[in-house]
PDB file of all heavy atoms in Angstrom:
ATOM      1  N   TYR F 121     136.093  46.125  78.610  1.00  0.00           N
ATOM      2  CA  TYR F 121     136.737  45.732  79.864  1.00  0.00           C
ATOM      3  C   TYR F 121     138.223  45.664  79.595  1.00  0.00           C
ATOM      4  O   TYR F 121     138.713  44.676  79.057  1.00  0.00           O
ATOM      5  CB  TYR F 121     136.213  44.376  80.323  1.00  0.00           C
ATOM      6  CG  TYR F 121     134.714  44.344  80.569  1.00  0.00           C
ATOM      7  CD1 TYR F 121     133.853  43.588  79.774  1.00  0.00           C
ATOM      8  CD2 TYR F 121     134.157  45.117  81.603  1.00  0.00           C
ATOM      9  CE1 TYR F 121     132.486  43.585  80.011  1.00  0.00           C
ATOM     10  CE2 TYR F 121     132.787  45.126  81.827  1.00  0.00           C
ATOM     11  CZ  TYR F 121     131.967  44.361  81.027  1.00  0.00           C
ATOM     12  OH  TYR F 121     130.614  44.364  81.250  1.00  0.00           O
ATOM     13  N   VAL F 126     132.951  43.407  74.750  1.00  0.00           N
ATOM     14  CA  VAL F 126     131.879  42.424  74.698  1.00  0.00           C
ATOM     15  C   VAL F 126     130.653  43.102  74.087  1.00  0.00           C
ATOM     16  O   VAL F 126     130.237  44.170  74.552  1.00  0.00           O
ATOM     17  CB  VAL F 126     131.544  41.878  76.102  1.00  0.00           C
ATOM     18  CG1 VAL F 126     130.482  40.789  76.001  1.00  0.00           C
ATOM     19  CG2 VAL F 126     132.800  41.329  76.772  1.00  0.00           C
ATOM     20  N   TYR F 155     134.149  39.981  71.710  1.00  0.00           N
ATOM     21  CA  TYR F 155     133.417  38.747  71.975  1.00  0.00           C
ATOM     22  C   TYR F 155     131.927  39.072  72.012  1.00  0.00           C
ATOM     23  O   TYR F 155     131.513  40.117  72.520  1.00  0.00           O
ATOM     24  CB  TYR F 155     133.871  38.168  73.323  1.00  0.00           C
ATOM     25  CG  TYR F 155     133.267  36.833  73.658  1.00  0.00           C
ATOM     26  CD1 TYR F 155     133.693  35.669  73.033  1.00  0.00           C
ATOM     27  CD2 TYR F 155     132.238  36.746  74.613  1.00  0.00           C
ATOM     28  CE1 TYR F 155     133.130  34.447  73.339  1.00  0.00           C
ATOM     29  CE2 TYR F 155     131.665  35.513  74.918  1.00  0.00           C
ATOM     30  CZ  TYR F 155     132.117  34.383  74.281  1.00  0.00           C
ATOM     31  OH  TYR F 155     131.546  33.166  74.579  1.00  0.00           O
ATOM     32  N   ARG F 157     128.081  38.343  73.257  1.00  0.00           N
ATOM     33  CA  ARG F 157     127.236  37.689  74.280  1.00  0.00           C
ATOM     34  C   ARG F 157     125.770  37.975  73.935  1.00  0.00           C
ATOM     35  O   ARG F 157     125.068  38.652  74.665  1.00  0.00           O
ATOM     36  CB  ARG F 157     127.561  38.251  75.672  1.00  0.00           C
ATOM     37  CG  ARG F 157     128.703  37.602  76.409  1.00  0.00           C
ATOM     38  CD  ARG F 157     128.435  36.184  76.879  1.00  0.00           C
ATOM     39  NE  ARG F 157     127.275  36.031  77.758  1.00  0.00           N
ATOM     40  CZ  ARG F 157     127.249  36.302  79.060  1.00  0.00           C
ATOM     41  NH1 ARG F 157     128.333  36.733  79.675  1.00  0.00           N
ATOM     42  NH2 ARG F 157     126.154  36.136  79.773  1.00  0.00           N
ATOM     43  N   PRO F 180     138.927  36.612  74.630  1.00  0.00           N
ATOM     44  CA  PRO F 180     139.273  37.151  75.954  1.00  0.00           C
ATOM     45  C   PRO F 180     139.657  36.023  76.918  1.00  0.00           C
ATOM     46  O   PRO F 180     139.249  34.880  76.728  1.00  0.00           O
ATOM     47  CB  PRO F 180     137.989  37.846  76.433  1.00  0.00           C
ATOM     48  CG  PRO F 180     136.949  37.560  75.433  1.00  0.00           C
ATOM     49  CD  PRO F 180     137.515  36.846  74.272  1.00  0.00           C
ATOM     50  N   PRO F 181     140.442  36.352  77.958  1.00  0.00           N
ATOM     51  CA  PRO F 181     140.850  35.310  78.906  1.00  0.00           C
ATOM     52  C   PRO F 181     139.720  34.948  79.859  1.00  0.00           C
ATOM     53  O   PRO F 181     138.797  35.734  80.060  1.00  0.00           O
ATOM     54  CB  PRO F 181     141.995  35.989  79.674  1.00  0.00           C
ATOM     55  CG  PRO F 181     141.710  37.447  79.573  1.00  0.00           C
ATOM     56  CD  PRO F 181     141.021  37.664  78.268  1.00  0.00           C
ATOM     57  N   LEU F 184     139.487  37.786  83.884  1.00  0.00           N
ATOM     58  CA  LEU F 184     139.720  39.157  83.409  1.00  0.00           C
ATOM     59  C   LEU F 184     139.365  40.094  84.550  1.00  0.00           C
ATOM     60  O   LEU F 184     138.382  39.878  85.254  1.00  0.00           O
ATOM     61  CB  LEU F 184     138.771  39.356  82.228  1.00  0.00           C
ATOM     62  CG  LEU F 184     138.966  40.443  81.203  1.00  0.00           C
ATOM     63  CD1 LEU F 184     138.121  40.118  79.985  1.00  0.00           C
ATOM     64  CD2 LEU F 184     138.620  41.793  81.742  1.00  0.00           C
ATOM     65  N   VAL F 195     135.728  40.332  86.125  1.00  0.00           N
ATOM     66  CA  VAL F 195     134.605  40.328  85.191  1.00  0.00           C
ATOM     67  C   VAL F 195     134.575  38.979  84.467  1.00  0.00           C
ATOM     68  O   VAL F 195     135.576  38.607  83.840  1.00  0.00           O
ATOM     69  CB  VAL F 195     134.735  41.459  84.150  1.00  0.00           C
ATOM     70  CG1 VAL F 195     133.530  41.474  83.219  1.00  0.00           C
ATOM     71  CG2 VAL F 195     134.907  42.809  84.814  1.00  0.00           C
ATOM     72  N   ASP F 196     133.478  38.268  84.587  1.00  0.00           N
ATOM     73  CA  ASP F 196     133.348  36.999  83.868  1.00  0.00           C
ATOM     74  C   ASP F 196     132.534  37.276  82.589  1.00  0.00           C
ATOM     75  O   ASP F 196     131.311  37.307  82.611  1.00  0.00           O
ATOM     76  CB  ASP F 196     132.632  35.966  84.750  1.00  0.00           C
ATOM     77  CG  ASP F 196     132.562  34.593  84.078  1.00  0.00           C
ATOM     78  OD1 ASP F 196     132.742  34.517  82.859  1.00  0.00           O
ATOM     79  OD2 ASP F 196     132.304  33.616  84.791  1.00  0.00           O
ATOM     80  N   VAL F 197     133.266  37.501  81.495  1.00  0.00           N
ATOM     81  CA  VAL F 197     132.560  37.886  80.254  1.00  0.00           C
ATOM     82  C   VAL F 197     131.838  36.704  79.633  1.00  0.00           C
ATOM     83  O   VAL F 197     130.948  36.890  78.803  1.00  0.00           O
ATOM     84  CB  VAL F 197     133.520  38.530  79.208  1.00  0.00           C
ATOM     85  CG1 VAL F 197     134.154  39.785  79.765  1.00  0.00           C
ATOM     86  CG2 VAL F 197     134.570  37.563  78.732  1.00  0.00           C
ATOM     87  N   PHE F 198     132.188  35.495  80.029  1.00  0.00           N
ATOM     88  CA  PHE F 198     131.556  34.319  79.425  1.00  0.00           C
ATOM     89  C   PHE F 198     130.261  33.915  80.111  1.00  0.00           C
ATOM     90  O   PHE F 198     129.309  33.509  79.472  1.00  0.00           O
ATOM     91  CB  PHE F 198     132.530  33.142  79.429  1.00  0.00           C
ATOM     92  CG  PHE F 198     133.786  33.416  78.657  1.00  0.00           C
ATOM     93  CD1 PHE F 198     134.971  33.683  79.313  1.00  0.00           C
ATOM     94  CD2 PHE F 198     133.760  33.454  77.276  1.00  0.00           C
ATOM     95  CE1 PHE F 198     136.131  33.965  78.603  1.00  0.00           C
ATOM     96  CE2 PHE F 198     134.913  33.742  76.552  1.00  0.00           C
ATOM     97  CZ  PHE F 198     136.103  33.998  77.215  1.00  0.00           C
ATOM     98  N   ARG F 199     130.243  34.025  81.460  1.00  0.00           N
ATOM     99  CA  ARG F 199     129.071  33.544  82.197  1.00  0.00           C
ATOM    100  C   ARG F 199     128.395  34.624  83.036  1.00  0.00           C
ATOM    101  O   ARG F 199     127.318  34.387  83.593  1.00  0.00           O
ATOM    102  CB  ARG F 199     129.480  32.394  83.139  1.00  0.00           C
ATOM    103  CG  ARG F 199     129.770  31.093  82.390  1.00  0.00           C
ATOM    104  CD  ARG F 199     130.550  30.144  83.275  1.00  0.00           C
ATOM    105  NE  ARG F 199     131.853  30.713  83.566  1.00  0.00           N
ATOM    106  CZ  ARG F 199     132.957  30.478  82.822  1.00  0.00           C
ATOM    107  NH1 ARG F 199     132.881  29.677  81.782  1.00  0.00           N
ATOM    108  NH2 ARG F 199     134.095  31.052  83.124  1.00  0.00           N
ATOM    109  N   GLY F 200     129.013  35.799  83.137  1.00  0.00           N
ATOM    110  CA  GLY F 200     128.443  36.846  83.986  1.00  0.00           C
ATOM    111  C   GLY F 200     127.126  37.387  83.438  1.00  0.00           C
ATOM    112  O   GLY F 200     126.750  37.102  82.296  1.00  0.00           O
ATOM    113  N   THR F 203     126.877  41.769  80.003  1.00  0.00           N
ATOM    114  CA  THR F 203     128.163  41.441  79.375  1.00  0.00           C
ATOM    115  C   THR F 203     129.199  41.077  80.426  1.00  0.00           C
ATOM    116  O   THR F 203     130.367  40.894  80.112  1.00  0.00           O
ATOM    117  CB  THR F 203     128.676  42.622  78.522  1.00  0.00           C
ATOM    118  OG1 THR F 203     128.920  43.729  79.411  1.00  0.00           O
ATOM    119  CG2 THR F 203     127.691  43.026  77.444  1.00  0.00           C
ATOM    120  N   GLY F 204     128.784  40.960  81.702  1.00  0.00           N
ATOM    121  CA  GLY F 204     129.702  40.523  82.746  1.00  0.00           C
ATOM    122  C   GLY F 204     129.720  41.395  83.993  1.00  0.00           C
ATOM    123  O   GLY F 204     130.126  40.929  85.062  1.00  0.00           O
TER     124      GLY F 204
END
Side-chain angles (χ1 to χ4, degrees):
Y121 299 114
V126 184
Y155 185 75
R157 274 290 302 280
L184 199 164
V195 183
D196 184 342
V197 299
F198 300 105
R199 287 163 295 269
T203 63

